[in-house]
Amino acid sequence: MAEIIQAIYIRETETRQQPKPHTVYRVEVHAAVRNWVVWKRYSDFSKLHQRLTSIFPKNPPPAPLPGKRFFPSTFSDPAKIEERRRGLEDYLRGILSSRDDRWRQTDVWKEFLSIPTGRPLDPSALYTSETWLDEYNEMTNTARDIRSLINKRSTHVARNEISASHNCTVHAKKLLMTLSARLSNLEQGLGLLAGGVSYASEGQVMSDGELRRRQDMVSTLKDEKDALFVLVSTGRPEQDLLYSQAESAAISKRHAGDRKALLDSSTHSSSSEKEKDATTRATSHPNQQYQQQKRQSIQPRRGRAFGTAAAKNMVTETEQTRGLDNEGLMQHQQQIMADQDDQVEHFNAILARQKQLGIAIGDELETQNQVLDELDNDVGRTHTKLKFAKKKLGTIK
């Protein structure tokens, strides 16, 4: 079932520079359920008029088509462009409001306004030479937007703003998927335009030079799409780099502590060997051992524990501190405290990351809820419009 067109407006014009300077007209089509826009040149209106006249030679369209001026040209005169805009709008409205619907029932009219006919159409088969360039320009802008989002994500990652970087990644991936789908249609449409078999090309064959130029444009856009895909896909390792660096720093510090402990253990082993030699000498001379124990009992006890701990002998030496002097012991304690501070900072970074991930998940859920609410509202509006359309159909019957 085709759309029922209720109104047509041409309110805006635009000057474009490719393939050469020309003026296009923005045709707004208002149907019972939805609205859409098509851009047409004056040559497209002229072709529509010629085809309608050839189909119905004895019944031309009710409104005349504005004539084409060569000297002077309409392109350089805004007043003449405005006059032609009003004339083209009257031409389309005359066909739409006429009681005779023979022109509105033709495929030429439906293709000109891009009216859905109820049968599936290949989007790549609806390109003209100008609309193909318009689609290419829009896709180039989309690729530029994706690269801008990737740069913003890198800035957020550097600032440890995980929620903002996650939103940039999600938006960039959505735009990249849309770009990939539209790029395949653009490439297929170029092949159809080159052979003149597109629905909108009307059998016009593209020149070899123009075909090569547009193929190069498509290849450049495909390379840009592949590069953007790599940048978007490698976003997570860049984000985890901050935490991997902190982990590697903590591991290197632990390895340094292990090396120091190993060196200390070697010094302890050498001192223990000396003590064993002294013990063997003492056993060989019992009198010397007795005299030495007596002198040690007379001399005061020396150690690095003071106060009640020294009196009760509660503090004992460990394997790591036994071979250290007072200065080495102080450095050892400072190293332990520094390692503990690094572990606390690392744990704090992990907690902050978990918090940001929770916030990002909450934001994503809120966004999905908003999308569902908008979808619900759209379904409600569509249901209302369908009821209104059914009511009008019942009145017509």
Side-chain angles (χ1 to χ4, degrees):
M1 179 179 178
E3 293 280 352
I4 300 176
I5 306 302
Q6 296 180 343
I8 298 177
Y9 301 95
I10 302 179
R11 296 170 177 169
E12 299 179 10
T13 61
E14 183 178 315
T15 301
R16 299 181 179 177
Q17 303 298 327
Q18 291 183 351
K20 60 181 181 179
H22 62 280
T23 303
V24 291
Y25 300 86
R26 187 174 188 269
V27 181
E28 300 179 12
V29 184
H30 292 238
V33 178
R34 54 181 172 174
N35 307 328
W36 64 91
V37 174
V38 291
W39 292 88
K40 298 294 182 181
R41 298 180 61 174
Y42 175 78
S43 59
D44 297 327
F45 286 90
S46 179
K47 293 175 184 176
L48 171 66
H49 183 72
Q50 292 176 2
R51 295 178 68 180
L52 291 178
T53 305
S54 63
I55 295 174
F56 307 106
K58 296 182 180 180
N59 300 96
L65 182 71
K68 186 175 180 64
R69 294 187 179 92
F70 295 96
F71 302 103
S73 177
T74 307
F75 176 74
S76 58
D77 192 344
K80 292 181 180 179
I81 292 177
E82 177 63 21
E83 181 182 356
R84 176 177 285 180
R85 181 196 66 78
R86 291 195 299 267
L88 294 176
E89 187 179 49
D90 294 338
Y91 175 78
L92 295 179
R93 286 184 174 183
I95 297 176
L96 181 64
S97 60
S98 177
R99 292 192 175 186
D100 190 355
D101 63 348
R102 66 179 71 190
W103 303 285
R104 297 192 297 272
Q105 296 299 326
T106 60
D107 293 336
V108 177
W109 171 262
K110 296 176 182 178
E111 291 175 4
F112 180 81
L113 296 179
S114 299
I115 300 175
T117 57
R119 62 180 185 273
L121 295 178
D122 186 5
S124 61
L126 299 178
Y127 286 123
T128 62
S129 180
E130 291 78 13
T131 56
W132 191 93
L133 290 174
D134 295 338
E135 180 71 7
Y136 173 79
N137 292 330
E138 291 180 2
M139 294 171 65
T140 304
N141 295 331
T142 302
R144 191 178 297 113
D145 293 339
I146 295 173
R147 187 168 289 274
S148 176
L149 287 171
I150 293 174
N151 294 333
K152 289 181 180 178
R153 183 192 64 184
S154 301
T155 303
H156 292 312
V157 169
R159 297 176 180 176
N160 202 18
E161 298 174 351
I162 300 179
S163 177
S165 64
H166 172 72
N167 293 334
C168 291
T169 302
V170 171
H171 193 192
K173 286 184 178 180
K174 290 180 180 179
L175 291 179
L176 190 58
M177 295 300 295
T178 304
L179 180 65
S180 300
R182 293 173 65 182
L183 184 57
S184 61
N185 291 334
L186 192 72
E187 190 173 8
Q188 294 176 4
L190 181 59
L192 295 177
L193 285 175
V197 296
S198 175
Y199 295 151
S201 63
E202 300 179 356
Q204 296 180 358
V205 181
M206 187 178 297
S207 63
D208 294 338
E210 181 66 16
L211 177 60
R212 286 193 296 270
R213 186 179 75 88
R214 297 196 181 191
Q215 287 176 348
D216 293 339
M217 293 165 62
V218 173
S219 299
T220 304
L221 192 58
K222 290 175 68 175
D223 294 339
E224 177 69 12
K225 186 260 296 182
D226 295 336
L228 292 175
F229 183 78
V230 172
L231 290 175
V232 171
S233 300
T234 56
R236 186 169 297 277
E238 293 176 358
Q239 183 175 351
D240 296 339
L241 183 60
L242 298 174
Y243 306 101
S244 63
Q245 289 177 352
E247 292 176 357
S248 62
I251 292 172
S252 62
K253 289 183 179 180
R254 288 197 295 269
H255 289 173
D258 295 338
R259 288 195 296 270
K260 187 174 181 180
L262 182 61
L263 293 175
D264 293 340
S265 63
S266 64
T267 56
H268 298 332
S269 62
S270 62
S271 61
S272 61
E273 290 177 357
K274 293 181 180 179
E275 291 177 358
K276 288 181 180 178
D277 294 338
T279 304
T280 54
R281 288 195 298 268
T283 54
S284 61
H285 301 283
N287 293 329
Q288 294 179 359
Q289 181 181 4
Y290 174 76
Q291 294 295 332
Q292 184 178 1
Q293 292 178 357
K294 185 176 181 180
R295 286 195 299 268
Q296 289 179 357
S297 62
I298 295 173
Q299 293 177 355
R301 181 181 297 275
R302 295 180 181 180
R304 288 177 286 192
F306 303 95
T308 57
K312 297 181 180 180
N313 198 18
M314 295 177 61
V315 178
T316 58
E317 293 285 348
T318 62
E319 293 295 333
Q320 295 181 352
T321 61
R322 184 168 297 168
L324 301 177
D325 55 2
N326 291 335
E327 185 178 357
L329 184 63
M330 182 64 68
Q331 293 179 357
H332 179 69
Q333 294 295 330
Q334 291 177 354
Q335 181 64 35
I336 292 176
M337 294 174 65
D339 292 341
Q340 291 176 351
D341 292 340
D342 292 338
Q343 293 177 1
V344 171
E345 291 179 359
H346 180 60
F347 186 68
N348 188 18
I350 294 176
L351 290 179
R353 182 186 180 189
Q354 295 297 327
K355 178 182 177 182
Q356 294 294 334
L357 289 175
I359 294 174
I361 293 173
D363 294 339
E364 183 66 23
L365 290 175
E366 185 177 356
T367 303
Q368 295 296 331
N369 289 331
Q370 291 178 358
V371 171
L372 291 176
D373 293 338
E374 293 176 359
L375 180 61
D376 191 14
N377 295 332
D378 292 339
V379 170
R381 286 194 296 269
T382 304
H383 182 66
T384 304
K385 290 182 179 179
L386 287 175
K387 290 177 62 178
F388 179 73
K390 289 181 180 179
K391 185 177 180 181
K392 292 187 69 176
L393 288 175
T395 305
I396 294 173
K397 292 180 181 179

